[in-house]
Amino acid sequence: MSRLVFLLNGPNLNLLGKRQPHIYGHETLADVERDCRALATELGLELRFHQSNREYEIVDWIHEARESAGGIVINPAAFTHYSVAILDALNAFDHPVIEVHISNVHKREEFRHHSFVSTRADGVIAGFGTQGYLLALRRLARLMDEKAT
Ligand code: CA2
């Protein structure tokens, strides 16, 4: 199975570390990418790391992953709570999917408590800060290994 992993980030996550540090911490998305790349190398994974503010771009990356990747880590950001398009795309992806939220969405406003993506994800991580991305990669690597044996 492919060792390629897509790590996808939704709208406004390009602002990570620049605004609202009390919710999302001080690390920037570039810091997250650097740490994820280091861990991916350790885990023997090849990483495609993307962020977009446009729903269709995320859908297109999921389609690309369908053709080539063995797993997806996704923080769909606000799309989590209303995007049937992203859910439909993930439902057409045959390999493990881990959903990440930096904040604990269940401790926040009611509208953040529901996730369309969680109905597809193999695991959900929320409230671990940006460390959640690293935990997600470790879990994904394990699921990919289990699937390969
Ligand atoms: O906790 C998460 O990771 C979220 O997916 C982040 C989304 C939010 O809509 C979800 O409910 C939970 C928001 C991402 C916005 O990121 C920003 C980062 C810094 C400054 C402003 C926005």
Side-chain angles (χ1 to χ4, degrees):
M1 203 220 283
S2 167
R3 296 297 285 173
L4 179 64
V5 166
F6 276 55
L7 199 162
L8 304 177
N9 290 283
N12 298 306
L13 284 165
N14 52 310
L15 298 178
L16 208 59
K18 297 171 185 167
R19 301 291 299 270
Q20 298 184 273
H22 56 292
I23 303 177
Y24 300 113
H26 290 279
E27 276 204 318
T28 65
L29 198 63
D31 295 331
V32 172
E33 178 171 2
R34 180 203 58 216
D35 293 349
C36 287
R37 287 201 179 284
L39 180 62
T41 302
E42 193 186 300
L43 296 170
L45 300 173
E46 186 190 337
L47 191 66
R48 299 269 157 81
F49 191 101
H50 296 296
Q51 185 276 331
S52 182
N53 298 325
R54 300 175 183 87
E55 190 178 20
Y56 76 87
E57 271 192 313
I58 294 173
V59 169
D60 284 350
W61 285 323
I62 296 168
H63 290 181
E64 210 181 306
R66 264 188 93 228
E67 305 297 320
S68 56
I72 294 175
V73 171
I74 183 165
N75 182 348
F79 293 148
T80 307
H81 312 299
Y82 65 88
S83 178
V84 176
I86 289 176
L87 171 62
D88 286 345
L90 288 170
N91 277 332
F93 180 74
D94 289 331
H95 300 296
V97 174
I98 307 289
E99 177 182 353
V100 174
H101 298 288
I102 298 166
S103 63
N104 180 359
V105 283
H106 300 289
K107 210 177 158 186
R108 300 182 65 191
E109 303 96 318
E110 188 88 30
F111 70 86
R112 295 187 203 276
H113 298 182
H114 178 261
S115 163
F116 282 95
V117 171
S118 293
T119 66
R120 161 63 181 90
D122 297 286
V124 182
I125 291 173
F128 287 80
T130 51
Q131 192 194 353
Y133 288 96
L134 302 174
L135 299 172
L137 273 179
R138 284 195 187 277
R139 179 63 184 155
L140 188 71
R142 174 76 71 92
L143 290 175
M144 286 165 66
D145 287 346
E146 283 172 5
K147 225 181 153 191
T149 55

